[in-house]
């Protein structure tokens, strides 16, 4: 069979050009969505009286056969199959004969590909959501297991205040919770059917688009055919979602890479998610986390690529839009891996709580001292300044704050009394943060309960 | 007053370093949000018994005075005012004395700036939403005015099928409708209060965060203090939203730039939104549209900038986050302009309907001919091929399709009969697209009604 | 054989993790460079006395055999071949036995992959340079062919001043000339050998790196081993080069897409580089140009991806760097196509010079009129203003400038006399731009000669 | 004075539009370049006989006066000064009268702005180059000072092999050296004069462009006027250069941030480049380095912004190009700071060599053990595997490698003998890397000499 569009052409397509423009090498991945869409369209054509019920049946049966060939990996591509639509229609016509040529009545590859991609993405989003919730569960379990372990909380990668290990880990659980909410939001905009937009003017065959949407499980239909064939917003939204999620994972990765350095040694990744060196026998590298961090560039790059492609494009379909698929495919594959790997790394992580405790610096309690003075009536700003000087003294003396005699403290303020030593423990300091969202034990438990509730609901 | 954090420092900050790290030059824009947040915090401190009611009153009155100074542009920055928080606290202490130093008890600049930025953005989003709806209204009015004008519909910038001018213009109305929906979605994630997260461990003063949220008009509070101080997702979402919107406007701009070339001459921009040349006296350039198209790069660049800054950052607050503001400020300003300019350009656009009609190519009716054959039972695929040959013939003869004798048509297929000429009019072709979302008059009217309904609701 | 690095590991790598981290699926493309590098290293080991000459011979012969297997597509990947280095060493050891294990002495995969990638890219750059010069030649030939055709020159997509078609086309020749210069510049930074940097501390086997560089044809060696293993600057430079080049081609594409619209109709693309529509029989779309324009996003996305991956990475090798290859491979493939397609499209382009002439607007001569007045002593600024009013008059009268009586002109200025009509021809206007780089015939010929000289030199 | 281009316009520019399109708020920064260019053009006009020598003198003197007003900050912007060109010409005409209107003869704002920007950037590049060399000198001095300090060399942020502190620091010196080479390369492409390209057709006044280039100190002139007015390659090259440089600094920043954590404590930043916390009195944060790391996003964002703006733009000047300036200005300012801050931070850095030594893990010597076995004839691959097991044993025994009895070693291989302890020292291990570019003392000294030579040459 000649090309779908060859009638008015006298010249032949250059081989190089075919290679340049054929998309079958990547869009073959959409076979299921493409055939599902065609079966629905065959039904709709009959409903609209464009073809007979019998013709429709024939088309549906033929398409089912093509579907089976793909499912059983028996489908053979042939020269001239420039894209998945051409390949399917070519094979359909081999099977059912000339009536195959009626399937495309009133339909264009423009609305067809737009529909295929949305159908496919809807299914992928479901999987990704499951992996995302899986990663949240790993976080929740680990956080419960280590709820009493205290960790230095960092700002600027400097020890800041003692926090619960669980509080730190849960912070990523909440990032993922936002990612989930965003995914649900964008899914509503994926779930819109463009089929029936034709090349861009709409459908002149009286096709019932709501029937089609119902058949294909779309929540709604696009409202304007010119917009319908060229709307790729949902892909940008998806890539933007993926970029934010990947940035979250990159931050988790960064923490874990630093925490598993010999100098920190707070955690150890399982062998299963580490690798060694071809030259240095002692090395155990957190490769899994480094790859996740590194792949953030790839995902952001894909977002930029599509935004740039769309910028300044004239209305409706332009061939530039063919560039929308590969980066989305790659991003789906990347996140499918990074979410699962993140889950597994968390599940199998060893926490060296003893070592963590040894590395905690007493100056993390300085804020507690300032609050102590402030509670005695000194303005916080002044208390902060005085404790700053105390810390400097402690550094000069090379002593932890709790081992410095009260007399020394009193050189800086009379308000210091013996009861101040009570504030100088890490657990107590953590537990004093009792406002909602803080690192105190009870509020961390509340936090855990809240996240579990949100996440359990999702598992149903 | 010395720096907020100087207690433990012996060395002096390098002047170059001050210049490098001070943010007052841009974050002064947040003065209103900053003071509003502080007034609420002063109330909360009293509620928690940390300061007396009288102290709280004093602080609130002092803050009101600072606010007035800003509002009346009387506020004077001083050396050492490194950021808006420092500037306000410095001035407050000048006014109310030492009690000013109590305001910061349990609060950190980390949760303070995170709160300021969200308060500020919420207000800006409201304005932007108004401008967006304004642009939609311009589209709706213009579409109604020209509902009967037929325009060549393009794919690949080649005349494809006749469509209504209104259908083309409304396609942008629907893009903006999605932008509105996205904005509403993301607003829910802006509307979360981090105040009470402290430096990152939470608040140890028993502050009531729900009270604070209520005072400040936030819908909810952040659930984890470590996440609370470093969550910038909502800014990425905002920049991503802005990028998509700007891409939409860039596509409208591209169409209008092309349509107002001498060769197309479909539309003319008002003088008010065009400019001339310093050397070529005849020039009237669609500068407004070119700037909108060009500024798309700027907005996408800001999105990339923030994503890159956040990639691989360790947990909680790092100074890198200071880079979150300028690009968001710039994007708010850019869109405030591009939305208003787009509205005005559409409102004042002249449509040269006579010229448009003259430029329409009869080959745009080829699909109608194929549908004609297809309605007579020929498979669409075959009909497409035959009409392709007819078009080639028309090009060779240099004749429009409707002036070619039926005898010539019949050389290609017996199915062509005299009634075929009836399908060869642009209006009829457009009107045949009666499925929902198509370019037929009735469905375009339905589309207009639907968009008006959605948009009117928003104006309330 | 077990993994290259498994000695200290007790746990087993998770299958998912293998899938996540294995790079053999894409880095197999580097087989030739990898084996070439290994052969040189086998020689260097013998030279340094680390292995015997006989052992070196055995290794070299074994490697030659592996090379042959790849070249003849007989090489079989096995489970555990995690990357190209492992695959080659595994097979080598199968062939030559235990001595294969000596090849890696003092070498790390870190310096090995850095070397492979540079060797490979050097070869690809040579090909790309050839394609680039090919595109320049197509431009030169076409420009010579149509040197006398006059075209509207546009600014803001509004007709501005008449220019030669060749002048327009040559502007892209000069963009490519800069691309060539940039490519030559960056090649010097690709042409640096990191081999001998080991894991990052250098080589402890007394290897002679200059000998290695000589063997492998590198111009020089890296100066610091820590930098050597993690320098990916040359890849960013390459991607940045590719982005600029692709932006150039996107601008050519935009012009050609607009110029081949029915409304312009200045040029026609050969059928070989156009495609049709599945639904609209009349369509002939400039797909080749649209794809080139669209792929610009892809290339820019790759640049952003790598920059983002590298941002904030700790010193020397981190696994994140594995993400450097796929985007570079993809970019090489993309440009290999876009350059060849651009060349072919230009070579086969039809120029509709008659139609172009018909579409030229007399107002493009307004600047000539202003210059006319200015030559008579009127300040240009005033002349510009007066001619602007004349143009407005011409628009009101709906007459071209050359058909408006001199009396009408004289209403605006006494300086207008009959000789003014002499300036009102397009050819004359173009030819008056005689300063170097202008669109006058002689200087365009000079320009052609200059570009030919630069390009011929390259073909040698 | 009315607008430069208002002749043919009847409608008035909307105030909003003026605000949208006026560039004076940022391009005023180009005043010096703009006036310098105009003075040269006034000379060239006289040389070409377009104006008299006297007129030229008048113009030059008037321009000198405007220049003085700017230099002395006496210049006053007025309403209608839409850009720097308009502002200067307006003021010039106020000073010299009507002859001011002759300056623009044959010149367009298109070639004028293109020239201004290049003149300005050339001067900025000189400054940036100086700052870059300054940073290199800080590296060289510090490296010489600490040439004998041994540091853990990391790959994957895991201790890998001992290296010299100087070797680590010099790795950044070489990155900067490449940045310098790249800057020199791109400067050649900045140093090209577009003046005389007019609006885009060239100059019709017989202007001598080589004379102009000579006057303005440009190395050469652009070869094609259409390309000349819209070539922004050099800005992308500059932004790409800046992005790579900033990525280098971000990697240095990341190392220093990690190295100055309490857990590493290898280095301490001077107080002058650190800041504290408003709530935690003990904090000393490496803000300078975090800002540098964070600003990498900003610079990359600017690169993306401009690439996106240029993508798919029609030939020659389009208003979109006005978006080329702000991001370049911002990038110049950013790098001016980041280079100077980097220099100062390195100069004032404290190296805690005692602490570094204490933190070095004996397993970093594992490669030495493998090389030991390999020197005794065991294939490296086998030696690597055996030493991997030894390391696992050492971890189980919780003993450093040099304290484990030889008998234990011999359980793994007979080749281990007492002399093996000699290889187990960090200095010796470092010094064994004697190949060029390695971390051995002599080759590091060679490296220092080489970099000094390259850098001294530049200081001349």
């Amino acid at each position: 069979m000649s090309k779908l569009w060859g009638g008015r052409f006298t010249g032949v397509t250059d081989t190089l050009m075919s290679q340049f423009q054929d998309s079958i090498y990547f869009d073959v991945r959409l076979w299921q969505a493409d055939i599902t869409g065609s079966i629905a369209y065959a039904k709709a054509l009959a409903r609209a009286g464009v073809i007979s019920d019998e013709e429709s049946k024939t088309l549906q049966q033929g398409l089912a056969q093509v579907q089976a060939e793909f499912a059983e990996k028996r489908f053979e591509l042939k020269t001239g199959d420039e894209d998945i639509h051409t390949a399917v229609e070519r094979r359909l016509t081999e099977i059912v004969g000339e009536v195959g040529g009626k399937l495309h009545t009133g339909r264009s590859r423009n609305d067809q590909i737009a529909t295929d991609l949305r159908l496919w993405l809807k299914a992928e989003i479901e999987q990704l959501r499951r992996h995302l919730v899986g990663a949240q569960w790993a976080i929740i379990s680990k956080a419960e297991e280590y709820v009493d372990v205290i960790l230095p909380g960092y700002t600027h990668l400097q020890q800041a205040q003692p926090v619960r290990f669980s509080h730190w880990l849960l912070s990523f659980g909440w990032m993922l919770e936002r990612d989930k909410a965003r995914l649900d939001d964008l899914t509503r905009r994926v779930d819109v059917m463009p089929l029936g937009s034709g090349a861009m003017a709409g459908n002149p065959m009286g096709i019932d688009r709501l029937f089609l949407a119902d058949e294909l499980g779309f929540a709604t239909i696009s409202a304007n055919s010119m917009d319908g064939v060229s709307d790729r917003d949902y892909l940008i939204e998806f890539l933007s979602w993926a970029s934010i999620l990947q940035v979250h994972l990159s931050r988790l990765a960064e923490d874990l890479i630093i925490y598993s350095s010999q100098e920190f040694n707070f955690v150890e990744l399982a062998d299963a998610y580490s690798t060694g060196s071809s030259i240095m026998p002692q090395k155990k590298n957190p490769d899994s986390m480094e790859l996740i961090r590194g792949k953030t560039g790839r995902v952001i790059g894909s977002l930029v690529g599509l935004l740039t492609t769309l910028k300044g494009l004239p209305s409706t379909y332009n061939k530039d839009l063919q560039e929308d698929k590969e980066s989305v495919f790659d991003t789906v594959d990347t996140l499918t891996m990074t979410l699962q790997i993140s889950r597994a790394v968390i599940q199998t992580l060893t926490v060296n709580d003893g070592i963590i405790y040894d590395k905690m610096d007493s100056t993390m309690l300085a804020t507690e001292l300032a609050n102590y003075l402030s509670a005695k009536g000194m303005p916080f700003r002044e208390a902060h300044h005085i404790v700053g000087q105390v810390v400097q003294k402690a550094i000069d003396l090379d002593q932890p704050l709790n081992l410095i005699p009260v007399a020394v403290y009193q050189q800086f303020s009379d308000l210091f009394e013996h009861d101040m030593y009570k504030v100088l423990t890490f657990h107590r300091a953590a537990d004093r943060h009792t406002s909602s969202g803080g690192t105190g034990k009870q509020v961390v438990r509340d936090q855990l309960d809240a996240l579990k509730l949100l996440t359990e609901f999702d598992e149903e």
Side-chain angles (χ1 to χ4, degrees), chain A:
Chain A
M1 193 178 90
S2 67
K3 291 208 183 310
L4 292 188
W5 41 263
R8 78 154 273 200
F9 281 71
T10 50
V12 170
T13 307
D14 183 13
T15 319
L16 196 69
M17 179 63 191
S18 296
Q19 206 182 326
F20 190 48
Q21 75 126 9
D22 288 358
S23 56
I24 186 69
Y25 308 105
F26 49 88
D27 68 16
V28 66
R29 182 168 180 162
L30 301 172
W31 64 269
Q32 185 129 39
D34 194 73
I35 297 172
T36 305
S38 285
I39 290 173
Y41 197 70
K43 291 184 193 168
L45 281 174
R47 245 175 94 91
V50 179
I51 59 175
S52 68
D53 284 350
E54 204 176 345
E55 286 173 323
S56 179
K57 275 273 151 55
T58 307
L59 288 172
Q60 291 174 51
Q61 283 162 357
L63 286 162
Q65 188 173 329
V66 180
Q67 199 161 29
E69 290 180 11
F70 269 107
E72 296 157 18
K73 298 186 195 301
R74 288 186 290 113
F75 189 92
E76 280 177 43
L77 289 179
K78 293 203 179 155
T79 308
D81 288 352
E82 52 183 274
D83 53 30
I84 183 63
H85 326 302
T86 314
V88 169
E89 186 174 327
R90 187 260 310 154
R91 182 70 189 119
L92 173 65
T93 307
E94 286 171 4
I95 294 169
V96 303
E98 173 176 84
V99 68
K102 296 198 170 184
L103 178 61
H104 213 61
T105 318
R107 191 170 64 159
S108 160
R109 286 184 297 181
N110 296 355
D111 57 345
Q112 196 176 353
I113 188 62
T115 306
D116 288 5
L117 205 46
R118 286 171 183 265
L119 266 180
W120 171 84
L121 188 57
K122 276 178 61 182
E124 293 292 337
I125 281 176
E126 257 183 63
Q127 289 303 319
L128 286 170
R129 197 181 193 286
R130 204 159 295 148
H131 293 313
L132 193 159
V133 172
Q136 283 186 306
W137 270 106
I139 286 171
I140 289 170
S141 306
K142 208 77 184 180
E144 284 201 303
E145 188 182 345
Y146 290 98
V147 76
D148 280 325
V149 171
I150 300 290
L151 188 80
Y154 297 84
T155 61
H156 307 256
L157 205 62
Q158 294 288 315
Q159 292 196 5
Q161 291 177 305
V163 296
R164 307 196 109 68
F165 175 85
S166 47
H167 192 57
W168 165 77
L169 190 54
L170 283 168
S171 69
F172 294 99
W174 292 104
M175 294 181 207
L176 293 180
E177 187 59 28
R178 282 195 299 279
D179 291 322
K180 201 166 64 187
R182 264 188 290 273
L183 187 62
D184 292 342
D185 282 352
L186 80 87
T187 300
R188 284 185 286 116
R189 283 178 291 271
V190 179
D191 204 6
V192 175
M193 188 195 73
L195 195 57
S197 297
M200 54 96 229
N203 188 296
M205 297 297 161
I207 235 64
D208 181 349
R209 295 184 66 214
L210 290 174
F211 166 79
L212 274 171
D214 204 51
E215 281 288 308
L216 294 171
F218 278 105
T220 184
I221 61 174
S222 58
N224 177 298
S225 58
M226 297 183 82
D227 179 38
V229 295
S230 75
D231 170 18
R232 297 297 186 271
D233 290 9
Y234 68 103
L235 296 179
I236 303 186
E237 272 197 85
F238 177 76
L239 292 173
S240 170
W241 168 81
S243 295
I244 300 179
L245 170 50
Q246 198 63 34
V247 163
H248 290 157
L249 298 180
S250 83
R251 297 188 73 175
L252 172 64
E254 175 82 356
D255 276 2
L256 288 179
I257 290 165
I258 292 175
Y259 292 176
S260 55
S261 67
Q262 280 97 332
E263 290 75 8
F264 276 76
N265 200 14
F266 288 2
V267 296
E268 186 171 355
L269 265 65
D271 280 9
Y273 305 102
S274 307
T275 60
S277 155
S278 66
I279 185 172
M280 296 169 292
Q282 87 281 9
K283 289 302 291 298
K284 182 177 161 186
N285 299 322
D287 286 51
S288 49
M289 289 293 111
E290 295 169 82
L291 276 173
I292 285 178
R293 186 178 58 186
K295 282 178 190 294
T296 310
R298 178 192 202 104
V299 174
I300 294 175
S302 291
L303 169 63
V304 172
L306 188 55
L307 279 167
T308 306
T309 293
L310 291 175
K311 174 248 162 182
L313 218 53
S315 267
T316 89
Y317 191 82
N318 298 273
K319 188 76 165 192
D320 315 55
L321 292 179
Q322 181 166 308
E323 289 292 307
D324 63 354
K325 275 172 279 303
E326 286 160 284
S327 58
V328 172
F329 291 170
D330 186 72
T331 300
V332 164
D333 293 342
T334 298
L335 265 70
T336 298
M337 292 302 288
T338 58
L339 281 167
Q340 290 183 87
I341 293 282
S342 297
R343 171 189 202 160
V345 165
I346 294 165
Q347 281 174 329
T348 57
L349 195 71
T350 304
V351 181
N352 302 329
D353 44 344
I355 294 171
I356 293 174
Y357 193 82
D358 290 347
K359 305 241 173 173
M360 290 175 78
D361 198 305
S362 74
T363 60
M364 275 200 296
L365 299 167
T367 313
E368 295 305 304
L369 282 180
N371 289 340
Y372 169 88
L373 292 177
S374 156
K376 295 203 172 183
M378 183 187 287
F380 181 78
R381 191 52 65 219
E382 192 187 340
H384 178 286
H385 193 73
I386 283 170
V387 176
Q389 294 171 324
V390 171
V391 167
Q392 192 52 54
K393 185 77 181 179
I395 291 170
D396 294 346
L397 297 173
D398 197 16
Q399 289 286 341
L401 290 175
N402 56 327
L403 295 188
I404 293 178
V406 72
V408 175
Y409 278 96
Q410 287 165 347
Q411 291 166 15
F412 297 96
S413 168
D414 291 344
L415 294 180
F416 282 118
E417 291 174 281
H418 235 291
D419 63 343
M420 54 160 272
Y421 291 109
K422 278 196 292 193
V423 312
L424 293 179
T425 82
F426 296 127
H427 261 94
R428 187 182 178 286
D431 281 338
R432 287 195 59 231
H433 294 81
T434 54
S435 288
S436 179
T439 201
K441 183 158 185 177
Q442 187 49 52
V443 283
V444 167
R445 283 226 169 274
D446 294 347
Q447 201 190 125
L448 255 167
D449 288 345
L451 189 58
K452 273 159 90 170
L453 205 68
L454 286 161
T455 318
E456 277 176 322
F457 186 79
D458 284 292
E459 285 280 67
E460 276 169 36

